[in-house]
DNA sequence: ATGGGCACCTGGCTGC
DNA sequence: TGCAGCCAGGTGCCCA
């Protein structure tokens, strides 16, 4: 479900309610997420004060006095802030109950999400330590992208979705960024020119920023912390628009499969 | 190291 | 109505 803009929208939505609050209790209804929720989790977070709500790639980091909650929304996960008396629905797997009376509730039908606890620096956690730069950082730029694409035979779309290249570019925004940069998704990464690397890095930044600005993309069931959808769907050039006329040149948008994921592109605009 | 494919899971939609 | 088949925003892991 969520890509970086949706995760960031969620982070911004939950941070004000969490920061400075005390976690009064935690309720786990289903421990079987991507990795089982540790038995000690409830004890570890109980009575802790939240002093940070951060994001690294698509992981949300909730920092408390004794450690950090590392959570991932997977494909179908979402977080909502609800009042304490809101009944839990199907697939509402856990609640963090704040002493304010608010509840941070995790909903995830497919259970690809995860909830992990670390007492170490989260940046050193095995799942985080090898991640590439953040797409919106200065470290990620055309020169960097050009350099790491040399000698790489994989298709550029799969390359930009690889978390060793850059983090946070999922299936929607990979197609959208390539459209904006006018690069065909099947091009070998090593065939991208220096100028194209600059255009692509900038396109990735631009599309993610634009999506964050209006709350991300809602395709099926994504909602932010208040339960509202994101509006970036109306701004998509190619994603889920197979057969529809390209918004630039009117020729039909094409679809094919790369690495078991659907790719959308315009063969007239992209080369 | 690199690239490719599979696995994890539920639900919604399509077509017979 | 039922059911099979396919598809869906992610990513870690295993294999060649």
């Amino acid at each position: 479900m969520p890509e970086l803009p949706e995760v960031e929208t969620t982070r911004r939505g939950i941070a004000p309610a969490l920061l400075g609050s005390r976690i009064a209790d935690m309720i786990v209804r289903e421990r079987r997420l991507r990795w089982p929720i540790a038995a000690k989790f409830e004890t570890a977070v109980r009575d802790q004060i939240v002093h940070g709500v951060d994001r690294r790639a698509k992981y949300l980091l909730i920092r408390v006095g004794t450690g950090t909650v590392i959570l991932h929304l997977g494909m179908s996960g979402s977080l909502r802030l609800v009042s304490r008396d809101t009944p839990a629905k199907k697939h509402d797997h856990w609640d963090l109950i704040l002493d304010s009376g608010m509840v941070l509730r995790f909903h995830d039908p497919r259970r690809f999400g995860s909830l992990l606890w670390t007492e170490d620096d989260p940046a050193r956690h095995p799942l985080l330590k090898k991640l590439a730069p953040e797409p919106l950082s200065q470290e990620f730029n055309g020169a960097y992208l050009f350099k790491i694409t040399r000698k790489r035979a994989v298709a550029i779309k799969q390359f930009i979705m690889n978390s060793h290249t850059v983090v946070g570019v999922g299936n929607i925004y990979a197609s959208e960024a390539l459209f904006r940069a006018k690069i065909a998704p099947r091009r070998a990464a090593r065939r991208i020119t220096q100028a194209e690397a600059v255009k692509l890095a900038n396109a990735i930044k631009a599309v993610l920023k634009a999506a964050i600005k209006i709350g991300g993309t809602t395709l099926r069931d994504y909602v932010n912390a208040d339960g509202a959808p994101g509006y970036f769907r109306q701004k998509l050039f190619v994603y889920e628009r197979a057969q529809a006329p390209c918004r630039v040149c009117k020729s039909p948008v094409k679809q094919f499969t790369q690495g078991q994921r659907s790719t959308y592109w315009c063969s007239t605009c992209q080369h």
Side-chain angles (χ1 to χ4, degrees):
Chain A
M1 171 202 303
E3 292 199 29
L4 187 142
E6 294 73 43
V7 177
E8 179 61 21
T9 297
T10 299
R11 188 191 71 76
R12 293 178 185 187
I14 66 173
L18 288 181
L19 284 171
S21 290
R22 189 179 62 94
I23 298 170
D25 203 359
M26 177 174 191
I27 294 173
V28 180
R29 299 183 196 81
E30 173 60 82
R31 306 197 93 87
R32 296 173 304 163
L33 301 186
R34 181 163 192 191
W35 293 285
I37 297 175
K40 62 179 177 183
F41 219 102
E42 292 94 317
T43 317
V45 298
R46 192 172 296 132
D47 287 330
Q48 295 295 311
I49 307 282
V50 177
H51 64 80
V53 180
D54 303 314
R55 177 186 60 71
R56 173 71 174 109
K58 295 173 194 164
Y59 292 93
L60 286 169
L61 308 175
I62 299 175
R63 300 178 197 268
V64 301
T66 51
T68 304
V69 175
I70 301 175
L71 79 94
H72 199 291
L73 303 177
M75 285 277 261
S76 57
S78 58
L79 285 169
R80 296 278 300 274
L81 281 166
V82 297
S83 64
R84 198 166 189 159
D85 53 8
T86 308
K89 296 186 180 134
K90 194 175 181 184
H91 306 306
D92 284 346
H93 302 316
W94 54 258
D95 289 350
L96 275 187
I97 300 166
L98 307 175
D99 59 2
S100 61
M102 292 298 282
V103 171
L104 182 70
R105 178 164 286 169
F106 179 72
H107 178 85
D108 185 11
R110 292 175 75 177
R111 289 193 277 117
F112 287 173
S114 50
L115 185 68
L116 302 162
W117 170 254
T118 182
E119 289 171 9
D120 195 2
D121 175 1
R124 294 169 50 174
H125 189 278
L127 294 178
L128 306 192
K129 67 182 179 190
K130 289 182 180 168
L131 293 175
E134 288 290 322
L136 300 179
S137 69
Q138 290 199 341
E139 194 183 350
F140 177 71
N141 57 39
Y144 163 85
L145 187 60
F146 182 66
K147 187 176 176 206
I148 63 167
T149 49
R150 300 308 85 188
K151 300 182 181 173
R152 296 299 302 274
V154 283
I156 190 65
K157 192 227 182 189
Q158 287 166 281
F159 188 76
I160 60 172
M161 288 179 69
N162 184 333
S163 63
H164 299 311
T165 302
V166 60
V167 299
V169 181
N171 206 36
I172 300 177
Y173 302 111
S175 283
E176 293 298 311
L178 287 165
F179 177 84
R180 289 172 176 230
K182 302 191 188 303
I183 298 169
R186 273 181 284 229
R187 291 265 299 284
R190 72 217 272 184
R191 303 292 181 210
I192 299 302
T193 67
Q194 195 149 16
E196 285 173 330
V198 171
K199 278 174 67 179
L200 182 52
N202 288 336
I204 288 169
K205 290 173 190 283
V207 73
L208 295 176
K209 278 184 194 167
I212 290 168
K213 203 169 180 179
I214 57 174
T217 302
T218 296
L219 295 176
R220 280 157 277 277
D221 55 0
Y222 168 79
V223 287
N224 69 15
D226 301 320
Y231 296 100
F232 197 71
R233 186 175 195 176
Q234 298 147 245
K235 309 269 186 185
L236 297 175
F237 282 97
V238 288
Y239 191 82
E240 284 199 336
R241 296 196 63 245
Q243 315 293 336
C246 170
R247 297 198 198 282
V248 171
C249 77
K250 309 296 178 209
S251 64
V253 170
K254 294 184 174 177
Q255 175 182 12
F256 68 100
T257 301
Q258 275 179 304
Q260 300 109 241
R261 314 299 298 278
S262 275
T263 297
Y264 300 85
W265 70 303
C266 173
S267 61
T268 305
C269 294
Q270 298 172 251
H271 295 285

